[in-house]
Every structure is written in structure tokens, then in C-alpha cells.
Amino acid sequence: MTRVAILGGGTGGAVLANDLAERLGAEIDAGDVEVTLINDGPDHVYKPVWLYVPFGQREPADGRRPLSELVDERVTLTVDRATAIDTERKSLALADGDALEYDYLVVATGSTLADGEIPGLAEGGHDYYSESGALALREELLSMTEGHLVLSVVGTPHMCPAAPLEFVFMADDWFRERGLRDAIDITYTYPVQRVHGNPHIAEWAAPLMEERDIDVETFFNAESVDPDAKVIGSMEGTEIEYDLLAAIPPHRGVDVVEEAGLGDRGWVDVDKHTLEAEAADDVYALGDAATTGVPKAGSVAHYQAGVVSQRIASEIRGRPATATYDGKTLCFIETGMDAASFVEFDYESPPSPAPPSEKLHWSKLAYNESYWLTARGLL
């Protein structure tokens, strides 16, 4: 029997599990292939929902479904946490004491927040990259009638690179709708000398921020936060006072990845086209966990899952694995409470954001609702 283990039940892991179940259905039914999905909790979480929670447009429950309802019944679902990866013996150690052997391993462990790396950030800032952070930020926004809102991108790379831009555009519009914008200043900080890591998106976003009176502080590498004084300071010596700090914390992968020698900071070093791990045989990585140079976005994980599924199925059937990932990424970018843009790009073609429109905003909301069909492998 050929055993495929998928570590992580986020977008990439769930889509891959369902794709493999469909692609290798005959082999699974015959008992020749086993696909196991390991996740450290029973639920699948669609994290883009958290962007809308601070503005009262969604609840965290809207982005949560039991994995058992999303994953094909031909997939073995194991709710447990991997404590070690042995790529030589092709084995996973699990927290409950069991060991799981594999022939192919796919690492889809996503991103974790590391706000503890910046002194004072956990106490002085709020994020919307976690359920608890989004709920706390909602309470702060609802009580804010004047003052200074600072959005600081502290760490890169991070999940959903467009989300910091989306937040300040939505906050600007949200405060205007409530008649509060004249009493509230908004500042956006970014670690490099532009407003986004991708120069094409930065070139598009900067004029919009100027039009909306959103102050920008680039080349601001946050070093510390003083929660009592409400000041965020940078390595460059700049200090910004705030009344409410919304921060994008540093992101890291999971420890077991680094401990297994698959890559630094919990990210797996891979071939950006085949998604094969550079440090181990028969190991793939996708989504946030893979260092491909493309954004850590759900669409990336989705497209990469299809490639990995095709490659593993080809190898199991003794055929050459020819499927490759071309860097395809697509993303909706909210530019307010009722307008959005859209970008699509790959390794060869740079992004060119579409003019913001209400139609694209509703398209994004429609995709958020239909996402659960995507996770099930139906779209």
C-alpha cells in the first residue's frame, strides 16, 4: 500500500486531500492507496473572514467548518499534532504517542503568529490575523470616536499580503460612513520604501492612499511597542504615537519543519515549480509553508494543491510527474466597504490591479460564500 500523509488541514491540505481522493479513488477503494490528513484541531478555518470581523460584517463562526464535513470520506482524518518529522525513516511522531509512516508527505502547515518577537506588541497592538485578535479589534474600533489609528505591517512575509491595504481602505470608509473620519487620523507603515512588497501593487495603492488622506510611513521596521505610552518605534529611529494600533505580527512556520531540517523559520525550501522539498525525498510543501516567492494566499494553496495531487498520482501510477506550478495567484482587494479591485499574476506576468468597483466587491463576497465548495473540491 502507498501511504500519502498531508500535514495541515487548511486550504491547501483540504483541497489536496479531496483532489487526491477523487484522482486516486479507484486505488483507494482497492486498498492500494491510503490518504491521511492530519490536523491539530477538528475544524477548518477560512481566515479571510477575519478581515470583516472588526467592522461587524462577519462573525468568526462564519469562517469555521468541521473538517469531517469538508473532507472526502475516502480520506482518513486524524485530529492530532505532529511533534516530529523523520524524513529518513518517513515517519511522523504524533502528540498522542502514535507514529504515522508515509511514502509521500505533503507539508501544508500554514503560518503562525509570532508577536512575541517584538517587545510590547502583544500588549499594545491588535491583529485581525487571528480570531481573538479580530474580536478584540472590533471592540476597540466600535469605541473609537477620535484619535490616531495606526496600521503597522511589522513582519513580512505574512498571510494575505493585500489585507493591510484592505484594512486601512475599509477603516477610512467605515469611519466616513459614521461621520467620524475628520476626527480620526489613519497612518499606514510598511518595512520597505513603498506601501507594498510588490512594486506594481504599491504603485497602484499609493495614489489611493493619498486621495483618502491616509498617511504613509515607509521604511518603518517596527522594533518595539510601548503599551503604556502608546508609541511604536522603528529600527530607523522613528516613533509614532497611536490611540489604536492594528499590527500585522511577524509570521513563522511551525517548529517541526525547522527541526526536521526542511527549512528555516518553519518554512519548507522547495522547487518553486514542482513544490518538492529540497532537503528530503518524497516530501512536498504547499501554501504558506512553501518558500516559492509568491504571496501567502489561499488561491496559491489551491492552485498548488492541484499540482501536487497530479504529481503524486503520476508517481504512484509509475508515470513521469510532469505537472508544474507557474506561480498563479489571484486576489480581490477591498478598497472600501463597497468597492474592490482584483489582481491575477504568475511568475512571468506581473499584477495589474483592476479599477475598483462595486461589482468586484460583491464578487469577493460571493467567493467568500462559495469557498466551502472550493474546500470540498467542488469548484
Side-chain angles (χ1 to χ4, degrees):
M1 176 185 290
T2 301
R3 300 153 300 182
V4 182
I6 304 167
L7 192 55
T11 297
V15 172
L16 174 62
N18 286 326
D19 198 307
L20 283 171
E22 181 67 24
R23 197 179 298 275
L24 294 171
E27 288 89 342
I28 294 172
D29 291 342
D32 298 327
V33 172
E34 182 179 60
V35 177
T36 301
L37 176 63
I38 306 104
N39 195 60
D40 61 2
D43 291 341
H44 175 91
V45 179
Y46 181 52
K47 296 178 181 179
V49 164
W50 291 334
L51 171 67
Y52 299 90
V53 171
F55 301 103
Q57 293 196 329
R58 289 290 185 274
E59 294 294 331
D62 296 330
R64 188 181 297 277
R65 297 286 189 281
L67 270 170
S68 59
E69 296 179 3
L70 298 177
V71 176
D72 192 292
E73 63 182 8
R74 291 170 290 192
V75 174
T76 301
L77 177 60
T78 299
V79 178
D80 206 339
R81 180 174 57 85
T83 57
I85 302 171
D86 187 333
T87 59
E88 293 292 328
R89 297 182 178 180
K90 293 190 173 182
S91 176
L92 302 174
L94 303 180
D96 69 359
D98 289 342
L100 180 68
E101 296 182 345
Y102 67 83
D103 295 288
Y104 295 94
L105 172 65
V106 184
V107 180
T109 44
S111 297
T112 60
L113 304 184
D115 50 6
E117 294 184 4
I118 306 297
L121 181 59
E123 299 81 12
H126 298 276
D127 74 82
Y128 52 96
Y129 277 54
S130 67
E131 180 176 325
S132 60
L135 288 170
L137 184 55
R138 180 172 67 185
E139 297 305 311
E140 294 292 335
L141 281 175
L142 285 172
S143 64
M144 190 174 191
T145 58
E146 62 180 1
H148 190 194
L149 168 63
V150 175
L151 182 288
S152 184
V153 179
V154 176
T156 58
H158 57 77
M159 292 180 282
C160 194
L165 295 172
E166 292 183 291
F167 181 83
V168 291
F169 288 142
M170 293 172 71
D172 166 74
D173 207 6
W174 191 70
F175 284 124
R176 289 182 192 278
E177 289 177 356
R178 300 175 67 210
L180 298 172
R181 185 62 173 91
D182 289 342
I184 295 174
D185 296 321
I186 300 177
T187 297
Y188 173 97
T189 83
Y190 203 76
V192 299
Q193 289 184 311
R194 54 180 181 261
V195 300
H196 192 271
N198 186 291
H200 302 278
I201 294 178
E203 184 179 359
W204 163 81
L208 289 179
M209 301 176 94
E210 184 175 0
E211 290 173 14
R212 307 278 281 275
D213 293 323
I214 297 169
D215 296 327
V216 173
E217 189 77 40
T218 57
F219 204 48
F220 185 95
N221 288 274
E223 186 176 40
S224 64
V225 175
D226 185 333
D228 297 323
K230 291 193 172 183
V231 172
I232 180 170
S234 73
M235 297 178 185
E236 295 76 25
T238 305
E239 292 188 341
I240 300 175
E241 297 180 356
Y242 65 86
D243 293 289
L244 175 57
L245 174 62
I248 314 304
H251 283 43
R252 298 290 178 264
V254 297
D255 291 341
V256 291
V257 167
E258 186 168 3
E259 291 165 0
L262 293 171
D264 294 333
R265 297 180 178 271
W267 313 123
V268 182
D269 294 328
V270 299
D271 180 293
K272 71 176 186 177
H273 294 291
T274 68
L275 305 172
E276 294 172 297
E278 295 179 352
D281 294 331
D282 301 321
V283 176
Y284 288 88
L286 54 77
D288 288 9
T291 55
T292 57
V294 296
K296 295 187 181 300
S299 66
V300 169
H302 185 180
Y303 293 126
Q304 290 177 345
V307 170
V308 172
S309 178
Q310 291 180 59
R311 293 187 67 84
I312 290 177
S314 294
E315 292 176 8
I316 287 175
R317 291 168 175 164
R319 302 169 185 167
T322 59
T324 56
Y325 174 60
D326 62 2
K328 185 174 182 180
T329 307
L330 63 82
C331 181
F332 291 95
I333 306 174
E334 296 281 22
T335 55
M337 302 306 293
D338 57 5
S341 177
F342 176 80
V343 292
E344 184 175 4
F345 54 99
D346 55 37
Y347 288 140
E348 302 297 329
S349 305
S352 179
S357 68
E358 186 175 3
K359 179 181 178 180
L360 286 172
H361 164 71
W362 286 106
S363 294
K364 176 169 185 177
L365 297 186
Y367 176 78
N368 286 345
E369 293 300 320
S370 65
Y371 168 77
W372 302 108
L373 298 177
T374 298
R376 289 185 175 95
L378 300 178
L379 283 179

